[in-house]
Amino acid sequence: MFKLIENRPLVPNLHMLRVEAPEVARSVQPGQFVIVRVEEDGERIPLSVADWDSEQGTITLIYMTIGATTHRLSRLPAGDGLPTVAGPLGNAMEIDHFGSVVCVGGCYGIGSIYPIARALREIGNTVTIIIEARSSYLLYWQEKLKQVSDRLIVITRDGSGGLKGHIDNLPAIIERLPQRPQRVIANGCNFLMMRASEQTRPLAIPTIVSLNTLMIDGTGMCGVCRVTVDDTVKFACVDGPHFDGHKVDWAELNKRRQAYLREETIPLRSSAGTAEQ
Ligand code: FES
């Protein structure tokens, strides 16, 4: 069993889990993920690794409580264990000397963009982080993100923190930066990554997204994570999860992502019904 060190809400609907997984902590690289199971034979959930401590042998994951499994996970106390934490899986994010990079994060992507920004800045890139949320109470890790960036820009849709608006403001923000970015990297829900890619396409700025797909084995065997990129079928788990956002077939991805939404929430609705009786 993989022992839970910490498992607590960060903001509404988002939890932070720190779990002992020494093998993963020793070898994980920015942009990789793990597959977690809450119980033997339970659903497998892919989660990006948002931070790690190789000496303590722990990894940090940010997850959204969206379906029955993640709600079950959110109720586990520290000291409890998970039967599966498999990884690190997927390819690492390309970390190179790009010059100026804009890292965009929303929702759980605010967490998963952190190690990517850190690695890019460590080798000398100028890093601007932009985080986006509906309201300021949904933001987290701002101090942590400031430490790994040259500037942190906050966007809230209701204007309660930072700039008022949404990720569609990206071209205006980029225009005001001292240096034009050579690359944009976006992490978060598919909608955010799709919108960010739409904004950077006319600017011809290469944009890398970390796709959020359903997964079962995470090793290229089941085909569940199939996506179309540049008219070619790819498996997000082994070919990705990072792809050129300008070449992703977003309509197909969103359709596939929602295929099991109803089934995921049925157990929640039935337990709510039972509790009310
Ligand atoms: Fe099975 Fe990718 S999760 S092929």
Side-chain angles (χ1 to χ4, degrees), residues 33 35 213-226 235-238:
F33 66 94
I35 285 190
T213 66
L214 296 173
M215 287 192 190
I216 295 182
D217 63 301
T219 58
M221 305 287 282
C222 69
V224 165
C225 66
R226 198 175 72 239
F235 291 160
C237 65
V238 287

Side-chain angles (χ1 to χ4, degrees), residues 22-158:
E23 299 288 319
V24 181
R26 237 192 317 273
S27 55
V28 67
Q29 294 174 60
Q32 289 189 296
F33 66 94
V34 291
I35 285 190
V36 167
R37 273 196 302 193
V38 178
E39 49 205 19
E40 294 284 359
D41 302 325
E43 185 192 1
R44 293 155 182 260
I45 32 176
L47 298 172
S48 299
V49 181
D51 202 3
W52 56 89
D53 184 326
S54 48
E55 276 173 27
Q56 289 187 12
T58 59
I59 58 170
T60 301
L61 310 168
I62 310 288
Y63 63 95
M64 192 176 200
T65 44
I66 194 172
T69 305
T70 44
H71 274 90
R72 208 169 296 133
L73 176 59
S74 70
R75 288 195 293 268
L76 295 180
D80 221 326
L82 297 174
T84 306
V85 178
L89 298 167
N91 296 297
M93 175 64 72
E94 183 189 2
I95 303 294
D96 210 337
H97 299 272
F98 298 111
S100 169
V101 183
V102 168
C103 294
V104 177
C107 193
Y108 41 78
I110 294 175
S112 60
I113 206 74
Y114 169 77
I116 295 169
R118 179 175 61 189
L120 286 165
R121 193 148 182 266
E122 266 170 13
I123 61 163
N125 290 288
T126 301
V127 176
T128 300
I129 299 180
I130 302 174
I131 53 174
E132 194 236 32
R134 206 159 19 89
S135 189
S136 57
Y137 73 91
L138 297 169
L139 297 167
Y140 58 94
W141 279 18
Q142 292 187 61
E143 283 311 311
K144 233 169 127 82
L145 292 169
K146 275 183 197 161
Q147 285 166 21
V148 297
S149 62
D150 294 276
R151 66 186 66 77
L152 173 68
I153 297 171
V154 170
I155 307 176
T156 53
R157 264 163 273 163
D158 64 3

